[in-house]
Structures are given as C-alpha cells and as structure tokens.
Amino acid sequence: MKNSRQQKRRLMTGNEAMAEAAVKAGCDFYAGYPITPQNEIIAYMAKAMKQCGRAFIQAESELAAINMVFGASSTGRRSMTSSSSPGISLKQEGISYLAGAELPAVIINVMRGGPGLGNIAPSQADYFQTTRGGGHGDYFTPALSPWSVEEAGELTVLAFDLADYYRNPVLVLADAVIGQMMEPVSLKFKKVFKKNLPKKDWALGCLKKKSPKVVKSFFLKEGLLELHNLKLEKKWEQIKKSEQRFSTYKVKDAEILIVAYGSQARMAKEAVDILRKQNINSGLFRPISLWPYPEKGLRKTAEKLKRLVVVEQSLGQMVDDVRLALPEKEVYFLGKTGGGVPSTLDIVKFVKKQI
Amino acid sequence: MKKKFSRPQSLKDVSTHYCSGCGHGILHRLVAEVVDELGLRDKIIGVAPVGCAVVAYDYWDFDVSEAAHGRALAVATGIKRCLPKNVVFTYQGDGDLASIGLAETVHAANRGENLTCIFVNNACYGMTGGQMAPTTVVGQRTATTPWGRDPGSGEGWPLHLSEMLKDLNGVTYIVRSSVSSPKQVVKTRQYIKKAFMNQISRKGFSLVEVLSSCPTIWQKSALESVKWIEEEMVKEFPLGVIKE
Ligand SMILES: Cc1ncc(C[n+]2csc(CCOP(=O)(O)OP(=O)(O)O)c2C)c(N)n1
Ligand code: SF4
C-alpha cells in the first residue's frame, strides 16, 4: 500500500499541473490550439475534460479558441484557453473583447522566444504585451507568474477566482521552464479559493422571468464608451490596490536585492545563497502578480537599499516597472534574449560587479 | 375580431438605424417572428456580427452576444457547447462570414456544430462604406473596385460560400433565398424556421443565405435594388435548397 505521503504527491510538469488545477477549479469549457511549449495542456484537457463530461474543443486557430471562450464565458461558465507567445498575439483580439465586455476567462501563456516565430526555448519577453494590455484599447489584465509546478497549479485556481471576482480575463504567465519541468506536486490547490464570488446575473441563457441580457463592448453613442471605460478604470484601480502579490527570500538584512520572476527567480534564489556564502548579503524579491505590479511590497522591501539587480529572460522589460517604482535607486539589469537564460553563476558574477 | 398581424414579441418597439430599403430590417423581423412562433424567446441566444447589424441586440428582445468581426460562429460554438439545450444562432454579413471569418465558418460547419447561421449576402461591405466583399459580383462597382470587380486583375471571383460548405459532412441544411419579393420573404421565413427546427432536433449545422438589398452602397433606389437582386444577383447566386 502507498503511504500517505505518496498518495498526496504526484510528479507532474507545470503544464499538466495548470491543466489539472483548471479542472479542479471547475473549468467548464476549454478551447485551445497546439503550440510548443504548452502542448501538454491541450492534451491533458482533451482527456480530463471529456472524462468529466465538460466541454473541450481543439479549435481551428487561436483566434477561434479565444472567441469560443468569449461565447462560453458569456453563459457564465468558467472557461479557459492556453497558448504560447505567437498564439497569444492572436488571442489579443479576443482578450480585448473579453475585457471590454467584462467577461471572466483564464488565459495561460507559456512563453517562448520571439519576436515572430522566434524559437521554442524559454523566454520572458511577453512581459510588455502582458502587463500593458496587449490588445487594443484602454484595459488591463491581471497576470500571475508561477515559479514552481505547485504554484503554477495554485495560481491557475486563483486566476479563475480573480476572473470571476473582477469580471475580467486573467492571464497566467509561465515561461517554458515552468511549463516543461517536472516536480512533485500535492494538488492541494483549494487553499487559494476566494469566497463570496459575485453572482453571474449578467450571463446569457435563461430569459425566464428576466429581461434580455446583452453581452457587448460596443458603445457607439457619444460619451457612452467614455463612461464605460471610466467604470473599468475604477476596476483597474481596485485590482491595483488589492491584488499585488510577491514573495521574498532573505531580504531582512540584504544589502543588495535581486528582482526576478518565474523560473528566473529560482536561479536568483540559488544565487542569493551562493552570494551569502561569500559574505555578500543579498536577497530576492519575486513578483507573483506582474500586473498589478507589487510596487508597494517592492518599495517596502527596498526601502533601505541603494542598489537592485533585475534579472530577466529578455532584453529588459520588467526592469522598467522596477525603475518606475523606485526612481531614486540604482537599478542594474541582467538579461538574455532569444531563448537564453541567465544562469545562477551569471547572476552571482553580475551582482558582485555592482558592489 | 381576431388580430392577424402585430409586432412580434421578440422585436423591440423601436425604429432601426438601417437605411430605407435595407434588407436587414426585414430579416430581423423574420427571425423574431420565427422565434415567437416556435416559442423560443426564453431559450434563444443570438450572436450579432460586426457589420451593419452590429447592434441587432437593440432590436431583438432576447439574449444576444456580441462577437468580434468574423468570429460569430466561434462565439456561438462556445455558447452552444455550454448551453446545449438553448437554441443559438449567428446573424452575419458576407464580409463577416465569408471573408475575415471564413476559417471560423468552415470549421464550425465541418464540426457539425448544432447551430443556425443566418447569412446576409448584400454583395458588399455596408458598414464601412461599400467596399468589395467576397460576394461582390463581377463588374460591380464598389469603393475598392471603382471600375467594377475584375477577376482577371487579381480581384478574384464571387465566392459561393453556400456551395463551398455543402460537401462538408457536418452540414445538414443549406438554402439560399432573398428578400426581394413578398413571395421570397415568406419562403425565407420558412427556411429560417426549418433551420431552427433542425437545431432543436439536433441535426447539426444549418445555414440560410439571404440575398439582401443595400440601396445605399449600390446607389440604387429601393425598387431598383430589388430588381438588381432578381435580375443580376440571382444569376451569380441561384436561389433554392443547396443541401438538405
Ligand atoms: C477586425 C476588424 N476589421 C475590420 C473591421 C471594420 N469593419 C466593420 S464592418 C465591416 C464590413 C462588414 O461587412 P458585412 O459583413 O458584409 O456586413 P454589412 O455591413 O454589409 O451588413 C468591416 C470591414 C472591424 N470592425 N474589425
Ligand atoms: S449600408 Fe446597406 S446594409 Fe447597411 S444599413 Fe444601409 S442599406 Fe443596409
């Protein structure tokens, strides 16, 4: 017989954990289109959703997939799609429409190298696209970035709750390392469930005793769109206030702070330990929500520090948000692009150069 | 005395923004009449297009969703898969259905989605000011075919969407009609009813193509437009049942 520890933990890839978490979170509808490095999600969903009698569609394109999600969401059902960078570019049309029509949905992006077809290696170069709206119009999407397989699952569940709570699409921004690597996971995702989600009384589907419902983002008459967008702005402000998430590692006595997210933060964490063995008191600040950016936490953590090092798998995108949050600090940047990953030793070397 | 004719319950008591002589108004009414007749008002969900009918939800008195340009059948697919007991239809122009949304159209049809599609073919892009549509007939002048559509110069031939879809296994019913005469209007109503009934009995994908007038872009009077449909358009797009 298995002991209880074995029963509770399973070896899974990040992609599989996000898919399983979606099923556990009560995802009723999934539509996707294959693209590396997230193909395990669509394969997992094909099996799992069909097994539990929920809707799964392999769509003809990312455009179709996100618009199917638009339709599914408009019925009030929990719905999700997943893709990787070039596919997310195509999904931007639908994400903008979802945000405009205030429809909840979860969109997973397992980032790969770009621009263009790029390659299938790890990357964090979709940060701008993710945190600045991505599609057309004045809107934002909360974006959560996991650094472990377990957290990939937890954040997927949280994404469903945030989406329902705020009536807005929510992105889970994983990089290819997180999507592909295997770790033991507990699949105990429940603890992040948010209570008291609002009733979906806007959903289409049953007119009995009610007036007709319309799902739309179109406001032609003068001034109406402005009013709608100002209403949405209040939502963005509320999200900015309430949903900043981050974690820290050995920051109490740190003299230099490393800021990194996703798989890059794991290497940064290791670098902190190595640096400390060499008597350099460093610490790690890891944003979990990329939008809203955890600027309150960052400011507090970096209060007494002069210097920060930002490490990314890109030419430098999140570093802009760090500089915006801390205009008076010295912020140094280490990055690699096109599928390159700054290694632990790269980080150690770079930090030592700055002090 | 028995009342014989009145506004359908599913049609709001408001005036529409459509140009006079436009076919959209007639078709909105036909859809509403059929919805009432089949008692579907609390079960029906419409998906409005991007095009002149973009605000169809201002006129229909039942649940309606918006869709991005061309994506109505993807949106409808999502709705129908979540609410299989509801009756879901899209209402789309030729630009929407046959150009930007061609992939969504072909694949929804090929999957045999249990949906109804009302395809309004007015041989042009109305809303954006009358550019060439996939269905613009040879020689027809539009804003982007100022000398008339010329297939030889790279503008291509009119796309016969209904005929293209007919051989797909997922497709149950395809029919082409028009709103150019009272007789055709009555026929169109019957076709729409049949297309909804197909969905109710889970027969799969049904499409009703309707040749519809666009006097404004065609730069013709309402009467001339009707004549143009009957004399010119039907030559390219013959009426009748295409698949049953
Ligand atoms: C992605 C996108 N591209 C282009 C447009 C602009 N646009 C609005 S309506 C339309 C044409 C609609 O033509 P059709 O579907 O034939 O409908 P009609 O207006 O003739 O009824 C276009 C190109 C848009 N709204 N979205
Ligand atoms: S432009 Fe054409 S299709 Fe649009 S409302 Fe006017 S007549 Fe109808």
Side-chain angles (χ1 to χ4, degrees):
Chain A
M1 226 182 94
K2 284 181 190 166
N3 66 36
S4 65
R5 208 182 134 77
Q6 273 172 331
Q7 272 176 350
K8 274 192 203 126
R9 294 179 81 75
R10 268 166 73 185
L11 199 60
M12 276 183 145
T13 66
N15 283 338
E16 289 164 345
M18 289 186 279
E20 176 59 28
V23 175
K24 282 233 163 76
C27 177
D28 295 298
F29 180 92
Y30 173 92
Y33 186 80
I35 181 170
T36 309
Q38 61 83 55
N39 293 321
E40 296 77 14
I41 301 181
I42 177 168
Y44 197 99
M45 292 306 267
K47 202 167 165 192
M49 294 293 274
K50 282 179 184 166
Q51 274 169 345
C52 52
R54 304 186 198 166
F56 166 89
I57 305 185
Q58 178 170 335
E60 62 271 28
S61 69
E62 287 87 352
L63 274 172
I66 190 76
N67 284 288
M68 288 172 184
V69 163
F70 185 102
S73 285
S74 74
T75 70
R77 301 297 196 269
R78 285 196 150 182
S79 31
M80 181 173 101
T81 184
S82 63
S83 191
S84 177
S85 310
I88 294 292
S89 292
L90 288 176
K91 287 189 198 293
Q92 294 301 341
E93 173 191 87
I95 298 173
S96 165
Y97 274 76
L98 285 162
E102 292 196 83
L103 289 178
V106 173
I107 300 119
I108 296 176
N109 180 3
V110 185
M111 286 180 282
R112 60 187 251 180
L117 202 47
N119 63 22
I120 55 168
S123 169
Q124 295 183 322
D126 297 351
Y127 182 90
F128 282 154
Q129 186 195 48
T130 307
T131 57
R132 265 66 181 168
H136 62 286
D138 261 334
Y139 78 94
F140 293 96
T141 43
L144 306 167
S145 190
W147 80 332
S148 69
V149 172
E150 177 91 21
E151 198 183 55
E154 282 172 6
L155 293 183
T156 303
V157 178
L158 175 63
F160 277 100
D161 286 346
L162 289 178
D164 279 349
Y165 191 78
Y166 291 104
R167 281 185 65 184
N168 206 69
V170 174
L171 275 105
V172 177
L173 192 70
D175 50 66
V177 179
I178 299 297
Q180 295 290 324
M181 75 183 186
M182 274 192 144
E183 279 182 328
V185 286
S186 71
L187 297 174
K188 271 203 235 150
F189 302 134
K190 282 218 177 67
K191 63 176 184 267
V192 290
F193 263 63
K194 204 172 191 135
K195 285 193 192 91
N196 306 325
L197 293 173
K199 255 174 74 183
K200 294 185 170 177
D201 50 8
W202 44 265
L204 304 180
C206 182
L207 204 57
K208 280 201 178 106
K209 291 185 215 130
K210 286 185 283 175
S211 55
K213 302 276 188 291
V214 173
V215 166
K216 64 162 188 158
S217 63
F218 190 54
F219 300 89
L220 198 56
K221 283 204 189 90
E222 203 186 320
L224 284 190
L225 179 59
E226 188 181 8
L227 285 179
H228 178 65
N229 285 357
L230 290 174
K231 187 187 120 197
L232 293 182
E233 189 195 22
K234 284 205 184 118
K235 175 155 82 179
W236 318 136
E237 289 308 320
Q238 182 59 45
I239 297 174
K240 272 200 223 165
K241 238 180 26 216
S242 320
E243 306 301 342
Q244 297 189 15
R245 289 179 166 76
F246 63 94
S247 79
T248 56
Y249 180 66
K250 296 192 176 166
V251 290
K252 278 217 179 86
D253 61 340
E255 286 148 34
I256 185 161
L257 193 65
I258 306 173
V259 185
Y261 70 97
S263 68
Q264 198 56 52
R266 293 169 79 112
M267 286 158 250
K269 182 180 176 229
E270 220 184 319
V272 166
D273 288 335
I274 294 173
L275 285 162
R276 281 186 173 262
K277 276 195 197 123
Q278 300 175 15
N279 293 324
I280 297 165
N281 281 354
S282 56
L284 168 71
F285 183 88
R286 176 173 73 94
I288 295 173
S289 62
L290 300 181
W291 193 89
Y293 199 72
E295 50 190 20
K296 285 185 280 187
L298 180 61
R299 270 194 226 111
K300 197 144 184 261
T301 311
E303 227 169 14
K304 297 192 190 95
L305 296 173
K306 229 174 97 193
R307 274 183 291 262
L308 290 94
V309 165
V310 177
V311 192
E312 289 177 77
Q313 294 158 18
S314 80
L315 286 175
Q317 301 195 10
M318 180 184 72
V319 64
D320 283 8
D321 279 336
V322 176
R323 290 193 172 120
L324 275 172
L326 303 166
E328 70 288 357
K329 310 272 179 196
E330 289 170 35
V331 177
Y332 300 94
F333 175 71
L334 171 66
K336 277 195 174 179
T337 181
V341 177
S343 71
T344 303
L345 289 179
D346 289 339
I347 303 173
V348 169
K349 241 170 50 201
F350 186 80
V351 171
K352 280 164 95 176
K353 229 169 60 189
Q354 312 312 328
I355 48 175
Chain B
M1 217 164 92
K2 208 174 155 207
K3 199 172 179 182
K4 276 273 165 83
F5 194 78
S6 61
R7 178 176 288 276
Q9 215 199 343
S10 295
L11 201 62
K12 287 181 191 159
D13 191 3
V14 293
S15 43
T16 69
H17 72 286
Y18 299 116
C19 313
S20 51
C22 174
H24 277 307
I26 303 172
L27 269 165
H28 280 19
R29 183 181 170 109
L30 291 185
V31 170
E33 279 181 10
V34 173
V35 167
D36 282 4
E37 188 190 333
L38 296 176
L40 292 176
R41 203 178 149 249
D42 57 2
K43 256 184 130 177
I44 195 97
I45 301 175
V47 181
V50 165
C52 281
V54 63
V55 292
Y57 42 72
D58 284 350
Y59 310 133
W60 286 322
D61 207 13
F62 47 71
D63 286 6
V64 184
S65 174
E66 156 188 283
H69 192 29
R71 321 284 171 233
L73 279 167
V75 171
T77 297
I79 296 175
K80 184 72 184 183
R81 293 288 184 107
C82 288
L83 299 173
K85 289 189 186 130
N86 285 62
V87 178
V88 183
F89 75 97
T90 65
Y91 183 99
Q92 301 175 260
D94 39 55
D96 199 73
L97 191 84
S99 193
I100 187 169
L102 184 62
E104 283 79 358
T105 307
V106 171
H107 288 280
N110 188 50
R111 283 191 304 268
E113 295 294 339
N114 192 28
L115 292 169
T116 304
C117 174
I118 316 278
F119 167 26
V120 190
N121 179 356
N122 60 9
C124 67
Y125 284 20
M127 195 193 202
T128 39
Q131 298 82 1
M132 181 180 76
T135 46
T136 293
V137 301
V138 173
Q140 186 184 342
R141 283 171 194 254
T142 69
T144 49
T145 53
W147 296 282
R149 185 176 196 169
D150 175 10
S153 74
E155 287 162 359
W157 282 263
L159 195 76
H160 298 124
L161 186 94
S162 291
E163 282 82 357
M164 271 174 66
L165 296 182
K166 131 177 146 297
D167 292 333
L168 300 177
N169 288 333
V171 173
T172 305
Y173 179 61
I174 298 193
V175 66
R176 187 185 285 122
S177 68
S178 85
V179 285
S180 60
S181 69
K183 192 175 147 204
Q184 277 303 324
V185 169
V186 171
K187 270 197 173 167
T188 304
R189 191 183 186 284
Q190 285 162 355
Y191 294 146
I192 293 174
K193 185 173 163 191
K194 169 134 197 199
F196 279 141
M197 283 170 45
N198 285 345
Q199 188 179 154
I200 294 165
S201 44
R202 296 174 199 279
K203 287 201 180 134
F205 191 82
S206 299
L207 181 139
V208 180
E209 175 176 346
V210 187
L211 306 186
S212 172
S213 49
C214 178
T216 306
I217 301 303
W218 296 352
Q219 298 185 12
K220 291 178 179 11
S221 70
L223 272 179
E224 284 164 355
S225 298
V226 160
K227 222 170 129 203
W228 192 74
I229 293 180
E230 288 181 346
E231 285 172 7
E232 298 301 324
M233 243 182 128
V234 294
K235 275 194 227 151
E236 188 65 48
F237 301 110
L239 306 184
V241 175
I242 295 168
K243 182 173 190 176
E244 188 157 18

